[in-house]
Amino acid sequence: MPPSLKAGKPILTARIPTFPYGKEQDRHTVSYDEYVKTGGYTALRKALSMAPEAVVDEVKKSQLRGRGGAGFPTGLKWTFLPKVAPGPDGKPGDPGQRYLAVNADESEPGTFKDRLLLDFDPHLQLEGIAIACYACRIKTAFIFIRGEYHHQTHITEKAIKEAYANGIFGGKGLLNGAKTATGEPWVVDCYVHRGAGAYICGEETGLLEALEGKRGWPRIKPPFPAVKGLFGKPTIINNVETLCHVPSIIEHGADWFSKQGCDSTVGGPPSWGTKLMGVSGHVNRPGVYECDLGIKLSTLVNDYCGGMRGGKKFKGAIAGGVSMGILGPDQFDAEMDFDIGRKYNVMGLGTACPTIFDEDTDMVAVARNIARFFKHESCGQCTPCREGSGWLYQLMCRIEEGQGKTKDLDLALEIATSMGIMPGTTICGLADGNNWALRTIMNKYRDEFEKRVKPSFIPVKMTIGAGAKG
């Protein structure tokens, strides 16, 4: 039996039957009435009784880290919005137009955990949106959903209509114009915007460009979105799963949230709370599971996913979407927390949706396929990414076909380490995702690559003196 959650019961999946706490065949989309009967919008009512600053402080105290991939503290991000000076009467002043952009693009390969929430509990996201808008003094929210999520778009739009019909959003103000701690209702409008299926729009500024109806090209930063974002106005961008955590934090408090998950083992911010982990690949029971952060990958695979498919041996895993890099065969017990990057030489936890590989997997083919993906999805704005992604794909194809030479391995690593935000050559992190994925695969499975290439020998002529002849 899998280890139980420290909270004693599911939080994000409380209304979504999920192993080992429920049967998947019992799943259904939760309507507004069912959501309210099961405690929904209670946290929103509590939030409205608090000062907006107090709501921000509670989320900041919880150290909720973004579940979209970067792991940046959510409450801290909220504080980056420009401060609002009080009016002459001492009440909060007018913050002007601000926006909340919800990242429901979920285009990272191997990632499908937000889809679970969108499919079956859409009002949990809407409650998180409402609380975030009140806390940050935002009047307009956009849910940017990936173009391929046709069904999820319809579910979300239906839930928004239910929310408007029952006074959650709309002209009267949150909760039918309920009085807030500031002494007046807070009006919020919420809309759905469909993307066109571009991976790059998962990057927050690329998402903003697409929301404005432009090509999804990431922007140069600074200015950062909290200062100049959507339509040039202050904007907060949060992931679906991140916002779905906010209601439980407000309802139960930051101290309650901190008892789940784990503390940092390398001296950084903690990895508190639960996390949805979507497991795919060579396991007996792929799916999305809610676990405490810090769970070992081996425990996730063996206890939740029923072990490796066919009883084969574990060979590796892409721990959090392909851009994060790969865990090697000796890293099966890696802890799935936000410290994973520093401890196991990957870029980070990412979306925490591992793709599992068994002993028969061709890692050269995996590298080639990843290179193909990033070449296709590069927006082309930055030369190192545009050209480097193409070169890497060509090299991986050559190596896979057995036409490469040993010098091609070094050349591929040299190209990879020369592109991305970390060496300071690109605007966004797509190139980093490309190079981390290929670098970690090539370094951790070097022998497989060396077996596929031909030895290359470059003779070196020794000379002595300026007039020596070779």
Side-chain angles (χ1 to χ4, degrees):
M1 188 70 177
S4 61
L5 294 166
K6 293 179 182 178
K9 58 182 180 180
I11 300 163
L12 296 173
T13 57
R15 302 175 186 85
I16 308 173
T18 303
F19 180 84
Y21 306 98
K23 298 179 179 179
E24 293 182 5
Q25 55 264 38
D26 294 331
R27 290 176 177 175
H28 61 278
T29 301
V30 176
S31 65
Y32 171 85
D33 291 336
E34 183 180 354
Y35 185 72
V36 171
K37 288 179 182 178
T38 53
Y41 293 112
T42 300
L44 175 58
R45 193 170 298 279
K46 180 179 179 181
L48 296 183
S49 69
M50 304 164 60
E53 298 80 8
V55 178
V56 174
D57 288 343
E58 195 68 21
V59 175
K60 187 177 179 181
K61 182 181 176 183
S62 74
Q63 299 203 51
L64 168 65
R65 298 177 67 170
R67 274 23 179 185
F72 193 83
T74 304
L76 180 61
K77 178 186 282 190
W78 289 1
T79 65
F80 291 162
L81 288 169
K83 305 299 180 185
V84 181
D89 55 358
K91 293 184 178 181
D94 183 6
Q97 184 62 60
R98 298 178 170 191
Y99 295 102
L100 172 66
V102 183
N103 189 345
D105 192 61
E106 195 166 47
S107 50
E108 181 72 25
T111 301
F112 46 92
K113 44 96 178 175
D114 289 342
R115 179 175 177 174
L116 183 77
L117 299 169
L118 296 169
D119 270 334
F120 300 110
D121 200 2
H123 283 279
L124 181 60
Q125 175 192 199
L126 298 185
E127 184 171 13
I129 290 171
I131 294 172
C133 286
Y134 172 71
C136 298
R137 315 306 288 158
I138 293 171
K139 298 179 180 178
T140 307
F142 289 98
I143 301 173
F144 186 92
I145 194 166
R146 67 177 297 182
E148 294 88 345
Y149 277 6
H150 305 286
H151 181 63
Q152 292 72 28
T153 299
H154 296 318
I155 291 174
T156 303
E157 289 177 335
K158 181 179 179 181
I160 290 175
K161 288 180 181 178
E162 291 179 333
Y164 270 95
N166 289 277
I168 302 300
F169 298 125
K172 292 183 179 179
L174 295 172
L175 289 178
N176 275 310
K179 189 175 181 180
T180 68
T182 63
E184 56 186 11
W186 188 254
V187 178
V188 174
D189 284 304
C190 183
Y191 307 95
V192 174
H193 182 100
R194 295 185 66 178
Y199 172 78
I200 195 64
C201 291
E203 196 276 337
E204 60 180 18
T205 58
L207 182 151
L208 295 181
E209 288 287 292
L211 265 176
E212 293 179 0
K214 305 172 186 174
R215 178 184 293 181
W217 273 17
R219 300 173 179 174
I220 296 174
K221 301 183 285 287
F224 292 95
V227 176
K228 185 179 180 181
L230 186 61
F231 304 117
K233 302 297 182 180
T235 305
I236 291 295
I237 304 153
N238 286 138
N239 169 258
V240 170
E241 185 186 351
T242 306
L243 290 169
C244 286
H245 266 296
V246 171
S248 63
I249 291 172
I250 297 303
E251 182 176 358
H252 302 291
D255 292 338
W256 166 85
F257 186 76
S258 68
K259 294 177 182 177
Q260 305 151 43
C262 64
D263 293 321
S264 174
T265 56
V266 295
S271 297
W272 289 341
T274 62
K275 181 77 181 70
L276 293 182
M277 300 187 183
V279 188
S280 59
H282 303 147
V283 295
N284 286 315
R285 187 172 50 239
V288 180
Y289 304 96
E290 184 174 2
C291 310
D292 283 290
L293 280 165
I295 186 174
K296 290 184 177 181
L297 178 62
S298 57
T299 302
L300 179 62
V301 170
N302 293 326
D303 294 356
Y304 285 83
C305 301
M308 296 294 296
R309 191 175 65 191
K312 296 183 178 180
K313 294 180 181 179
F314 171 84
K315 186 173 184 177
I318 295 172
V322 296
S323 61
M324 293 297 109
I326 198 165
L327 295 170
D330 59 341
Q331 298 173 336
F332 194 26
D333 288 329
E335 299 88 358
M336 298 288 287
D337 60 30
F338 287 105
D339 294 332
I340 193 172
R342 296 171 66 179
K343 292 190 291 186
Y344 298 100
N345 192 28
V346 291
M347 189 154 69
L349 181 65
T351 57
C353 289
T355 302
I356 312 299
F357 302 120
D358 66 21
E359 56 189 312
D360 296 331
T361 305
D362 182 349
M363 301 311 297
V364 178
V366 171
R368 185 264 307 152
N369 196 34
I370 291 174
R372 180 205 58 81
F373 171 79
F374 282 110
K375 173 184 177 295
H376 180 267
E377 293 297 336
S378 173
C379 77
Q381 186 176 185
C382 303
T383 301
C385 179
R386 181 185 66 247
E387 302 300 328
S389 61
W391 294 342
L392 287 174
Y393 177 58
Q394 290 179 37
L395 285 169
M396 291 301 110
C397 288
R398 186 188 306 169
I399 293 169
E400 184 184 19
E401 293 167 358
Q403 301 301 315
K405 297 184 178 181
T406 50
K407 66 179 182 180
D408 290 330
L409 303 181
D410 296 330
L411 179 59
L413 290 173
E414 181 182 350
I415 293 172
T417 52
S418 300
M419 51 190 280
I421 287 180
M422 293 180 189
T425 62
T426 60
I427 293 174
C428 86
L430 185 143
D432 293 278
N434 191 350
N435 77 59
W436 271 89
L438 295 188
R439 275 195 292 157
T440 55
I441 294 174
M442 291 183 68
N443 287 328
K444 294 180 181 181
Y445 301 92
R446 179 81 181 190
D447 58 331
E448 288 195 36
F449 285 83
E450 290 179 344
K451 291 176 181 177
R452 298 285 270 274
V453 298
K454 303 171 183 177
S456 55
F457 175 71
I458 303 175
V460 178
K461 296 183 179 180
M462 300 298 292
T463 62
I464 301 175
K469 296 182 179 180

